[in-house]
Amino acid sequence: MRSVMAPQGDAPATDSASRTLVLGIDGARRIVQCGPNARAVLGRAPEDLIGRPATDLVGDEAKAELEALLEANDQERSGVMSVLRGDQGASALVTVQPMIGTGPDAAPAALLFIRVELPPSERYQDPALMRRALMDDQLTRFGASLDLDQSARGLVEVVVPHYCNAASVLVLESLVAADEVHTETGSAVLRRIAVTSDDGNPAWTSTFPVGEVLVFPEGTPYRQVMETARPVHLRHIPLDEATEIGRLWRRGPAGELLSGVSMVLLPMIARDTLLGFIACTRVPGFRKFDAYDVEIGMEFASRAAIVIDNARLFSRERATALALQRSLLPMRLSAPSSVEVRHRYLPGSKLVEVGGDWYESIALPGARVALIVGDVAGHGVRAAVTMGRLRTALHTLANLELPPADALHVMHELMIELGEQEPHFATCVYAVYDATTGTIEIASAGHLPPLLAGPTGDNEYLQVPPAPPLGVAGGAAIESREFTVEDGSLFVIYTDGLVENRGRDIDDGLARLQKIFGPDSVDRPMEDLAKATLAGVYADQHRDDIAVLIARLRRLPEDRYASWTLPADPAAVRRARGLVRSRLQEWGLEELDYTTELLASELITNALRYAPGPIQLRLLLERTLVCEVLDRSAALPRLRRAEDDDENGRGLLVVSQLAHRWGTRRTAAGKVVWCEQIVPGIDPDASEQVPAWPEETWPGESHHRG
C-alpha cells in the first residue's frame, strides 16, 4: 500500500518568461513520474524520461552539481545549471524538494522542478498565464502601498517581465503636485514616475528618465493617448515611424529605441479622471502585441489607476495636514544671547500620520527665556489644529510673563473648554531660565521629565511636581519647582516619540537619551547633539512624531548687567539717574543717557508712590537695553490717558512713548516693571532660523516641495 506523500513547501512559482516541468525522483535517483509538458520544456516525450537517471537531464559539466542537490534529503535546494533541451543546452533553475512519506515503499522520494527560460519567440504566448501574473497576487502586493513612487515602481516591476520588456508610468503633473485644477488634454504636462526594463539596457532609463516633466508633441502616440483617453496599439513601429517620433520629440535616442518594437499605451482612468498612462514595449524578437494583449493590459491599467489614485489622494491629504502643522509651528526660536538653542521636529511615519507635537523658545525681558515642549494626544488634522490653538495661547501667556505653573493652569482650563466640543488632552513641560541668576523654574502637566546635563559630564532627569495632562479633570494641582543650573549645562525637553516605540521600552529610550548627553556632550557642537537625538529613528515605520528642544544654558556675563537697591525716598530718583549715567558710560552708550535716565526716574517715581519698602533698579545690556524696577507691591500698573487737570497718571504714558517695549510681571515678593530700548547697531530680533525639514519623511513629499 502506497503511503500518503506531500512535498515540503510549495512548488516554485511560475511566470510568463519560463516553463516548469515537475518530475518525481525515487530513492535511486531515477525518474518515476513526469509532467505532461515534458516535450514543451525539454523537447522530449514523458515516456522517454521515465526510468532514466535524473542526471541524464543535464550536461556532463552539471552532473556533479545535480547529484549534490539530490543528496540533500532533508531540505529544499536550488541551483542554476544547463539542462539538455533537444540537441542544445538551456539555462534552467533546478529545485529539489524532498517528500514526506509514511510507508517504506513511498515513491517518489523527491520532486524535481525544472524551470527553463523561454526563448524570446515563445514568451507572452499564454494569455491565461499573463492575466494571472498581472491580476492576482502582484496587484495586491504593490497596491498595499500608499506611497506614490513606491506604487509606481511596483507597477512597472509587475508589467515587466510578465507583459512586456520595458515599461514606464507617466501621470499628470497637476495631480502629482496636489493641484485639483488639472487638464486632460493632449497638451497636459506629465511626469514620469517609474521606468524599468528586463534587458539590462541602460538606454531605457537614460532616454526616458524618472522624474522628468514634459509635454508630448503633436503627431506622437503619446499625445494621442492623452487626447483620446483610449489605448493606443502600435503592433510594429518601423524605422521611419520611430525616427519621426524621435524628430517630433527632439529626442533622437527615443527613435532608435522604438525602432522595430511593438508598443501599447494604456490610459489609467479612475473616477472618470485620466491620471496618465502606462507605456509598454516589446522589443524585436518577442511576440508582438495583439488585440487580446491590449484587453488584458487595459484590465490591469484600470486596477492600477485605482492604486495610483489612492496613493495620490493620501499624499495630497498628508501634504495638506503637514502644511497646516508647519504653519502652526514656530518659524523662529529666540533666546538671550548667552543661551544657545537647537530643535528638531520630525513628523510621524507614513503609518502614523500627522501628530500634535510642538516646541517653543521665547526670549523674555530681563535675559530670560521660556522653553516649552508639548504633545496633543492623537494624530491627524484635528490634533494639529488643537496643537495650534494651544501653542498660540501659550505663546500669549509667555509674553504676558505668567509663571510656568500659572500659565499651564490657564492652558488646562482652555483644554477643559475645548473638550466640551471634542475630548482632547495634552502634555506639556514649561521652563523659564533666568540668565542673570542661573535659575530655571519648571512646571509639567503629565509630560516626561526634562534632562539636565551638567558641564562636568553628569546628568539627571529633573524631578518636577507631577500633575495630570492638560484637559484631564481632577488630580493634583500644577506646581513648579526651581533649580539652580551650573553655567554651560544642557537642558533637554522632548516628546514621547523620541524615547518610546513599538520595539523599545520607554526606560530603554530614556537611558539612550541620557547616554547621548553624557560626558562627551559637554564640548560637542549643538548641531551634532541635535542630530544625535534623532539617529536611528528615521527608518522606524511606526514612529510617532517627535519634538526635541535642546538649550545650552549660560549666564549673562557679570559686566553686562548691574543691580542697585534704593531706599523708599524721593532722593532715590536723583541717585538712580547718576547710577544709570555711570553704567551707560562704561558700556559706551552715552547717546542713550537722557532717555534711559528719564525712563528710570519715571519707573522709580511710580514705585515710590504705590509700593512700600526699598526698590531695586536693574540695567541689562543684551540685544537690547533693559531697565527694570522691582518693588514689593503686587498691584500691576495700568496705562491710561490722564485728563488735562489730573496731577498724575502720565508716567507710564511717557514710558510707552520713549521705550521700544514695556511691560510688567509678578514675582514672589511683588512685581517688576520694565522697559526696553533698541541699542544702536544691534539687531533686537536676532534668533535661530528653523533648520530645513528632513528629506522624504512622508510618502510623496518629494512631489510637493516647491
Side-chain angles (χ1 to χ4, degrees):
M1 178 177 178
R2 192 173 297 274
S3 62
V4 178
M5 296 176 292
Q8 294 181 340
D10 299 327
T14 60
D15 57 37
S16 62
S18 65
R19 285 179 179 165
T20 301
L21 173 65
V22 183
L23 300 169
I25 308 298
D26 65 8
R29 300 171 187 172
R30 292 182 176 273
I31 301 172
V32 295
Q33 294 177 355
C34 180
N37 61 333
R39 190 177 298 277
V41 178
L42 297 180
R44 302 171 69 178
E47 55 271 18
D48 293 340
L49 296 177
I50 298 296
R52 300 184 67 85
T55 52
D56 286 356
L57 299 172
V58 299
D60 294 338
E61 70 282 357
K63 290 183 182 297
E65 185 177 358
L66 180 57
E67 285 281 1
L69 292 181
L70 295 172
E71 288 178 359
N73 55 9
D74 59 343
Q75 61 181 345
E76 176 183 320
R77 289 193 179 183
S78 298
V80 177
M81 59 191 72
S82 177
V83 299
L84 298 177
R85 194 169 190 263
D87 297 332
Q88 299 178 346
S91 178
L93 174 64
V94 179
T95 301
V96 177
Q97 284 189 354
M99 301 291 289
I100 300 175
T102 59
D105 59 343
L111 293 181
L112 186 65
F113 295 87
I114 301 177
R115 184 190 298 178
V116 178
E117 184 178 10
L118 296 179
S121 59
E122 296 185 25
R123 286 181 62 177
Y124 313 122
Q125 293 284 354
D126 190 344
L129 191 61
M130 278 195 296
R131 182 183 294 275
R132 184 171 69 249
L134 292 178
M135 304 302 174
D136 291 347
D137 296 338
Q138 303 290 352
L139 189 64
T140 303
R141 176 174 57 82
F142 81 80
S145 172
L146 287 176
D147 184 289
L148 187 60
D149 293 325
Q150 185 175 342
S151 296
R153 286 194 298 269
L155 192 157
V156 295
E157 288 171 1
V158 170
V159 174
V160 177
H162 299 298
Y163 184 73
C164 60
N165 304 110
S168 60
V169 178
L170 296 99
V171 295
L172 290 168
E173 171 68 9
S174 57
L175 296 178
V176 173
D179 186 358
E180 285 292 348
V181 181
H182 57 272
T183 176
E184 300 175 12
T185 65
S187 60
V189 180
L190 297 168
R191 180 183 297 194
R192 194 185 314 276
I193 58 176
V195 61
T196 191
S197 66
D198 66 351
D199 59 0
N201 186 358
W204 289 104
T205 54
S206 61
T207 304
F208 308 108
V210 174
E212 71 168 328
V213 178
L214 71 163
V215 176
F216 286 106
E218 294 184 5
T220 61
Y222 310 103
R223 184 68 167 255
Q224 181 182 349
V225 70
M226 293 301 298
E227 289 177 342
T228 63
R230 298 178 62 85
V232 174
H233 177 202
L234 301 174
R235 188 175 187 278
H236 176 74
I237 303 179
L239 176 60
D240 55 345
E241 292 185 14
T243 304
E244 180 64 11
I245 293 174
R247 186 190 67 80
L248 293 173
W249 197 356
R250 297 182 181 178
R251 189 173 294 190
E256 298 175 6
L257 279 176
L258 298 180
S259 178
V261 306
S262 181
M263 185 168 65
V264 172
L265 305 179
L266 306 171
M268 294 186 295
I269 302 174
R271 297 183 300 155
D272 297 326
T273 299
L274 178 62
L275 304 180
F277 63 89
I278 309 171
C280 303
T281 305
R282 290 179 185 172
V283 299
F286 290 81
R287 189 179 72 83
K288 296 176 172 54
F289 287 109
D290 58 21
Y292 196 69
D293 291 329
V294 176
E295 181 182 338
I296 295 175
M298 279 304 301
E299 185 177 351
F300 176 80
S302 63
R303 300 186 185 185
I306 297 174
V307 174
I308 293 295
D309 191 50
N310 288 340
R312 176 187 67 85
L313 291 174
F314 178 80
S315 177
R316 187 186 65 206
E317 291 174 2
R318 187 169 178 81
T320 301
L322 283 176
L324 170 64
Q325 189 177 45
R326 292 182 183 187
S327 68
L328 297 175
L329 290 172
M331 296 304 296
R332 291 175 177 268
L333 300 180
S334 58
S337 57
S338 62
V339 176
E340 189 178 1
V341 179
R342 289 292 184 276
H343 83 283
R344 282 295 182 271
Y345 176 78
L346 188 63
S349 71
K350 61 184 179 182
L351 301 180
V352 178
E353 303 179 2
V354 177
D357 292 13
W358 87 94
Y359 55 89
E360 282 284 5
S361 176
I362 308 169
L364 302 175
R368 297 175 305 125
V369 59
L371 303 169
I372 308 167
V373 162
D375 183 4
V376 176
H379 300 91
V381 175
R382 292 181 179 179
V385 169
T386 302
M387 176 271 290
R389 289 178 174 179
L390 296 184
R391 176 185 165 265
T392 301
L394 200 52
H395 197 285
T396 301
L397 296 174
N399 286 325
L400 290 175
E401 302 191 63
L402 288 183
D406 294 348
L408 290 186
H409 177 74
V410 175
M411 294 284 288
H412 173 69
E413 296 297 328
L414 174 61
M415 285 294 289
I416 293 291
E417 182 179 347
L418 293 176
E420 295 177 358
Q421 299 177 347
E422 183 176 354
H424 267 303
F425 71 89
T427 64
C428 184
V429 59
Y430 186 161
V432 175
Y433 174 69
D434 190 331
T436 62
T437 63
T439 59
I440 187 168
E441 184 180 3
I442 308 172
S444 175
H447 206 81
L448 292 168
L451 176 65
L452 183 66
T456 59
D458 57 325
N459 58 42
E460 63 174 332
Y461 287 103
L462 301 178
Q463 299 301 313
V464 182
L470 305 174
V472 176
I478 301 176
E479 300 178 5
S480 63
R481 183 179 176 186
E482 189 172 272
F483 300 86
T484 299
V485 179
E486 294 183 71
D487 200 36
S489 296
L490 290 166
F491 181 70
V492 187
I493 47 180
Y494 49 92
T495 55
D496 57 355
L498 180 67
V499 295
E500 184 179 22
N501 58 36
R502 291 189 179 186
R504 181 178 61 196
D505 185 75
I506 189 171
D507 291 333
D508 296 333
L510 292 172
R512 169 189 170 274
L513 183 63
Q514 200 167 10
K515 184 177 180 180
I516 293 174
F517 292 89
D520 60 338
S521 66
V522 176
D523 300 321
R524 289 184 67 182
M526 289 285 285
E527 194 65 22
D528 291 350
L529 291 172
K531 292 178 180 178
T533 59
L534 296 186
V537 304
Y538 292 94
D540 184 1
Q541 295 298 309
H542 299 274
R543 69 168 185 272
D544 196 356
D545 49 340
I546 298 172
V548 185
L549 198 65
I550 307 171
R552 179 165 272 139
L553 306 178
R554 293 191 179 93
R555 297 190 183 187
L556 197 67
E558 294 184 358
D559 60 350
R560 308 293 284 182
Y561 67 94
S563 177
W564 306 278
T565 300
L566 305 174
D569 189 311
V573 177
R574 179 180 178 183
R575 182 185 174 191
R577 287 177 177 269
L579 293 171
V580 168
R581 186 183 311 112
S582 299
R583 179 59 62 164
L584 292 182
Q585 288 176 355
E586 294 180 15
W587 289 340
L589 299 177
E590 291 85 352
E591 57 188 299
L592 298 179
D593 276 353
Y594 177 78
T595 304
T596 308
E597 290 177 28
L598 180 57
L599 292 171
S601 62
E602 291 293 343
L603 295 181
I604 292 175
T605 300
N606 186 74
L608 289 173
R609 182 176 180 85
Y610 297 104
I615 300 168
Q616 187 176 4
L617 171 67
R618 290 207 311 172
L619 279 183
L620 299 96
L621 178 60
E622 222 253 325
R623 292 193 179 96
T624 59
L625 178 63
V626 180
C627 178
E628 296 184 339
V629 173
L630 297 76
D631 61 45
R632 297 185 179 180
S633 172
L636 300 180
R638 181 173 59 87
L639 179 64
R640 65 185 180 88
R641 186 171 297 278
E643 300 295 336
D644 293 341
D645 55 349
D646 288 344
E647 295 183 0
N648 51 38
R650 295 179 177 83
L652 288 181
L653 182 61
V654 172
V655 172
S656 66
Q657 294 293 326
L658 295 179
H660 175 60
R661 292 191 307 165
W662 76 279
T664 62
R665 67 175 181 273
R666 285 193 172 92
T667 65
K671 68 172 181 295
V672 176
V673 183
W674 57 269
C675 61
E676 182 181 80
Q677 298 179 80
I678 295 178
V679 177
I682 298 179
D683 181 7
D685 297 322
S687 56
E688 177 207 359
Q689 289 281 358
V690 174
W693 286 66
E695 295 294 326
E696 275 306 305
T697 56
W698 50 273
E701 181 173 6
S702 60
H703 299 308
H704 296 278
R705 292 183 181 273

